[in-house]
Amino acid sequence: MKYSVLVVDDEELIAKNIAKSIERINPSFQVVSICTTGMEAVEYIREHDINAVFTDIRMPEMDGLELARLISEKHPYIECIIISGYDDFEYARSALIYQVKNYLLKPVNKEELEKCLSDIERHLQASFAHFNEASFQEKEKNAEEIVSLIKEYIHQNYQEMIDLSTIAGKFGFSASYLTKIFMKYEGIAPSRYIKQYRISIAKQLLKNTDMPVSMISSQTGFGDPFHFSKTFKSVAGISPSQYRNQI
């Protein structure tokens, strides 16, 4: 099984070296993206299913500790590891508050990284195996029904700031289990389904109303107009304004 990793560091060359080291030392981990700011990482996590995040501490806009705090609060199933060139106990202690799994110093020691990855892999395996065979079979009987309920919940609450962790908490299942059954029956991750459903509603509003783009952004659960426009373009290939003009 491959575990998806996000590396966050404002020094892109260092980030690429860390990414290469991770994949070389433990092939079970695949670095799916590199972000250079904490805000960029937050947006990426919101739209993709990530298993582990390796982040620097000192970055512009949002530092690694603030990123770790947000991950702990909104995506507690993601393993977070701090990498920093600052050998400071206060940083390490702050990181532990946000359930950071490890604290590595730059330049990253190969043996320490290898041990860190092994620990993360064991923890993820244990998390995915949380449901024993008997309980999994029982849940599997109702899996399709659960997926239908999740879709209904998304359709009714897409205007709110919902994500995978919100839905997992609402239905009382692990995020990994919900992702697995949703992928099985819908062929798409829950986070991507939310995004596509919101964009489909936005298209209807752009086509059938004169509502400003900023208001449509709020009405479809994106909040930030810039994030809405960026996401819309990634899905539709054009900006919301261009889409409206074409219609």
Side-chain angles (χ1 to χ4, degrees):
M1 180 175 182
K2 289 280 188 180
Y3 301 107
S4 57
V5 176
L6 177 65
V7 175
V8 190
D9 197 312
D10 59 331
E11 297 184 64
E12 193 169 357
L13 181 59
I14 292 177
K16 288 180 178 179
N17 287 335
I18 293 172
K20 288 179 181 178
S21 295
I22 290 171
E23 294 184 339
R24 184 172 59 251
I25 290 174
N26 192 326
S28 294
F29 292 89
Q30 179 181 7
V31 177
V32 293
S33 186
I34 291 173
C35 295
T36 54
T37 70
M39 289 299 298
E40 185 184 347
V42 169
E43 287 191 15
Y44 190 89
I45 293 169
R46 187 187 300 164
E47 303 294 342
H48 300 81
D49 295 315
I50 300 296
N51 298 126
V53 173
F54 284 74
T55 179
D56 188 21
I57 282 186
R58 294 184 182 263
M59 297 182 294
E61 297 183 25
M62 177 190 293
D63 66 20
L65 292 184
E66 178 63 12
L67 175 60
R69 182 186 69 80
L70 291 174
I71 290 174
S72 175
E73 291 179 357
K74 297 182 177 296
H75 310 279
Y77 53 90
I78 295 178
E79 306 283 318
C80 188
I81 300 89
I82 293 287
I83 301 178
S84 177
Y86 298 87
D87 188 5
D88 189 312
F89 176 72
E90 288 303 318
Y91 278 128
R93 188 167 65 178
S94 298
L96 292 174
I97 294 174
Y98 304 133
Q99 300 180 15
V100 169
K101 293 298 183 294
N102 212 325
Y103 182 91
L104 302 174
L105 292 176
K106 296 178 182 177
V108 178
N109 179 278
K110 179 183 176 182
E111 288 71 25
E112 290 183 357
L113 180 58
E114 184 175 9
K115 182 181 183 304
C116 175
L117 291 171
S118 295
D119 290 343
I120 295 171
E121 186 174 15
R122 282 195 298 271
H123 192 270
L124 288 170
Q125 287 173 343
S127 177
F128 291 154
H130 177 70
F131 301 101
N132 59 39
E133 188 65 28
S135 63
F136 179 79
Q137 288 175 355
E138 183 63 30
K139 287 170 185 171
E140 189 67 12
K141 294 177 184 177
N142 303 315
E144 191 169 6
E145 181 182 351
I146 293 169
V147 170
S148 296
L149 290 173
I150 292 172
K151 288 171 62 180
E152 183 180 347
Y153 178 80
I154 292 170
H155 296 170
Q156 293 178 355
N157 296 275
Y158 68 89
Q159 293 177 309
E160 307 298 327
M161 296 299 289
I162 58 172
D163 54 22
L164 181 57
S165 59
T166 306
I167 296 171
K170 175 71 177 179
F171 286 86
F173 294 101
S174 72
S176 59
Y177 174 73
L178 291 188
T179 299
K180 182 174 183 177
I181 62 172
F182 206 91
M183 288 286 292
K184 177 179 179 180
Y185 290 101
E186 293 297 320
I188 187 174
S191 56
R192 192 169 294 276
Y193 183 88
I194 294 171
K195 178 174 71 174
Q196 292 186 356
Y197 185 76
R198 283 171 168 163
I199 295 300
S200 70
I201 299 296
K203 285 181 176 179
Q204 293 177 35
L205 294 174
L206 288 166
K207 180 179 179 180
N208 301 315
T209 75
D210 295 324
M211 191 180 295
V213 171
S214 59
M215 188 175 293
I216 292 176
S217 170
S218 176
Q219 289 288 318
T220 51
F222 286 98
D224 177 18
F226 175 77
H227 174 59
F228 166 63
S229 296
K230 183 179 178 181
T231 304
F232 189 96
K233 190 170 184 178
S234 71
V235 174
I238 54 177
S239 70
S241 299
Q242 289 171 328
Y243 180 85
R244 173 171 273 169
N245 290 337
Q246 282 191 0
I247 296 299

